[in-house]
Amino acid sequence: MPTPVKLPSRPSARWRQGGPAPLHALPQLIDTRPDARGEIAAGLLAESAAIAPKYLYDALGSRLFEAITELPEYYLTRTEASILARSIPEIAATVGRGCTLIDLGAGNCEKAASLFGTLRPAQYVAVDIAEDMLGHAINGLRQSWPGIEMLGLAQDFSSELTLPPRVRAQRRLLFYPGSSIGNFVPGDALRLLTLIRSRCGNDGKLLIGVDLVKDAAVLEAAYDDALGVTAAFNLNVLNHVNRLLGADFAVADWIHRALFDRSLRRIEMHLEARRDLVVTWPGGQREFRGSERIHTENSYKFDLPDLAALLKRAGFERVSTWTDDRRWFAVCLASA
Ligand code: AVJ
């Protein structure tokens, strides 16, 4: 029998917000993340074990991901930044000053902040499942941009995208950069984009960045770098699961794997057991054979025609696209 551990209790959904309050007294961080334990246990007990990629982002995982974005092999972040730097004047001219910028998966908010000077939003809403990073980032940004009203939402927007009444309904620009849409299998990606479209209102737009299909060696190096930072990022999910579920994963028992599946057009990240072992948690356990894997992430790669088709199916009408010279990454502005 596993030793019972004390688990943090979390109400299933909560608005850290009472009735009407003066604007200055409202919280800057609203947390509605659901309880994770049931979902994680179900994933571990599935015939092909899986842990959802959102659990990669505890405090350390968020910092490891930041480190990944600086690796020579991980071209995505800097390629997207260079495309945005070139296209943002045109985007800003289309969107106009004073929009409400809604940042989906804001992380350290750096990408969105790099657009503030040109875009001049009136309101900035940062949504992310990683609450620790969000609070810090927003506090920092407030100092530098006192003219922009800011709000953080700790939310798993893959299951809900609930925008409180303080978020203005008009002139929204939803920002979904970094190819994060690639974490979703095609049906879920379409569902999420349709949800995003519904949050755009009748005059809103979506600015999205996606990674494009390319040479397997380039892709695999980006997800299995020489320094081992991506390996640490992947393995760290086990520490997070140990805390969330009270499980007893030993990180040293697992190996990081990242492979491109060209027919499915996705990088898959897995953790592979080094030997036969048993993992236990309060109320459950799972046996793994040596070399058995836990699937931790899909990272889909797109081509431009499919991407435009996907955005249209989600309800966007006009789509403008910018890419880099190598056509490794694309940024799209899609309007309702
Ligand atoms: C943040 C989901 C876009 O898939 O490239 C980086 C996460 N995983 N290295 C990606 C990630 C491994 C990243 N996204």
Side-chain angles (χ1 to χ4, degrees):
M1 267 300 279
T3 334
V5 294
K6 211 161 164 272
L7 292 165
S9 70
R10 215 178 221 301
S12 63
R14 77 199 152 171
W15 296 89
R16 282 186 200 147
Q17 191 173 10
L23 200 61
H24 69 270
L26 286 174
Q28 63 183 56
L29 198 67
I30 299 173
D31 188 347
T32 54
R33 292 171 300 170
D35 183 84
R37 276 173 281 175
E39 184 188 39
I40 295 173
L44 291 177
L45 292 171
E47 181 156 300
S48 308
I51 300 172
K54 62 191 173 195
Y55 298 113
L56 292 162
Y57 302 93
D58 65 348
L60 177 57
S62 298
R63 292 166 83 161
L64 288 168
F65 178 69
E66 281 191 299
I68 286 173
T69 66
E70 300 194 20
L71 292 169
E73 296 95 333
Y74 196 78
Y75 58 86
L76 288 80
T77 313
R78 78 180 69 87
T79 307
E80 180 178 54
S82 76
I83 298 169
L84 278 171
R86 261 194 306 109
S87 56
I88 194 64
E90 201 179 330
I91 292 165
T94 311
V95 173
R97 286 190 174 206
C99 73
T100 286
L101 180 62
I102 302 172
D103 190 356
L104 302 175
N108 61 17
C109 304
E110 242 174 49
K111 273 181 206 173
S114 75
L115 311 181
F116 286 175
T118 318
L119 211 53
R120 296 280 163 177
Q123 205 181 29
Y124 173 59
V125 182
V127 191
D128 205 292
I129 193 151
E131 153 187 54
D132 348 61
M133 173 106 12
L134 203 56
H136 283 119
I138 297 233
N139 275 334
L141 276 182
R142 265 230 173 82
Q143 317 286 315
S144 345
W145 298 92
I148 305 176
E149 191 195 333
M150 296 196 190
L151 175 67
L153 302 177
Q155 199 169 99
D156 173 9
F157 58 80
S158 63
S159 52
E160 56 156 353
L161 180 50
T162 310
L163 301 170
R166 285 164 71 191
V167 179
R168 286 175 212 163
Q170 299 306 308
R171 308 206 35 226
R172 289 176 172 175
L173 178 62
L174 281 88
F175 183 44
Y176 196 26
S179 204
S180 295
I181 189 67
N183 272 171
F184 298 94
V185 299
D188 290 342
L190 176 60
R191 261 187 292 282
L192 178 55
L193 289 170
T194 306
L195 175 65
I196 289 173
R197 167 67 190 85
S198 77
R199 297 295 184 265
C200 282
N202 45 19
D203 63 351
K205 294 180 170 55
L206 167 67
L207 182 60
I208 186 171
V210 298
D211 197 20
L212 301 177
V213 172
K214 62 182 65 61
D215 191 61
V218 173
L219 285 168
E220 286 176 359
Y223 291 84
D224 195 4
D225 61 279
L227 283 175
V229 181
T230 308
F233 173 67
N234 193 12
L235 288 160
N236 177 63
V237 81
L238 299 177
N239 288 331
H240 194 199
V241 165
N242 283 348
R243 285 199 312 280
L244 289 171
L245 189 61
D248 61 355
F249 278 103
V251 166
D253 287 338
W254 300 85
I255 307 170
H256 165 68
R257 299 281 182 212
L259 288 167
F260 183 52
D261 184 324
R262 188 165 290 279
S263 61
L264 291 173
R265 291 200 220 170
R266 69 189 197 195
I267 286 274
E268 292 185 5
M269 283 208 319
H270 296 260
L271 292 167
E272 185 180 300
R274 289 183 191 270
R275 56 182 176 81
D276 294 358
L277 51 89
V278 183
V279 176
T280 65
W281 60 90
Q285 66 166 53
R286 165 83 191 236
E287 287 176 29
F288 292 93
R289 313 296 299 177
S291 81
E292 197 175 344
R293 291 172 171 186
I294 304 174
H295 190 175
T296 52
E297 186 178 50
N298 289 319
S299 197
Y300 278 84
K301 308 303 166 188
F302 296 81
D303 65 29
L304 293 175
D306 289 352
L307 178 61
L310 178 64
L311 289 168
K312 299 237 158 112
R313 284 181 68 198
F316 292 98
E317 301 268 319
R318 281 161 301 132
V319 181
S320 314
T321 305
W322 295 265
T323 60
D324 56 300
D325 294 341
R326 294 183 293 196
R327 295 202 154 225
W328 277 10
F329 201 92
V331 169
C332 296
L333 182 65
S335 21

